[in-house]
Amino acid sequence: MSLTSHLNELRRKHEILSTRIEQEQRHPSADDLAIASLKKEKLKLKEQISRMSGDLH
């Protein structure tokens, strides 16, 4: 897998997590721990994307 395609896959996963977090937050019985876990995973992806994007330049 090339660096570019890997970055695209990470960005896709990041968007999916964003959508899931938004959906979870809309529920009146939202699980705060689950949302926090999703946000942590999303942040890790963002950091990885940032590092890898720097490698391209």
Side-chain angles (χ1 to χ4, degrees):
M1 179 180 282
S2 74
L3 184 58
T4 303
S5 61
H6 187 61
L7 265 172
N8 288 336
E9 180 65 18
L10 291 175
R11 287 182 180 120
R12 186 185 67 79
K13 288 179 180 180
H14 187 268
E15 284 300 315
I16 290 170
L17 279 174
S18 291
T19 302
R20 283 186 60 199
I21 291 167
E22 288 175 20
Q23 290 171 347
E24 288 293 326
Q25 290 176 328
R26 287 189 197 128
H27 292 288
S29 61
D31 182 352
D32 290 337
L33 289 176
I35 292 171
S37 178
L38 290 170
K39 286 182 176 183
K40 189 174 182 180
E41 187 177 345
K42 182 181 167 190
L43 180 59
K44 285 180 184 180
L45 282 172
K46 183 178 179 179
E47 290 170 347
Q48 190 174 4
I49 290 166
S50 180
R51 278 193 311 274
M52 292 179 77
S53 292
D55 291 345
L56 285 176
H57 301 282

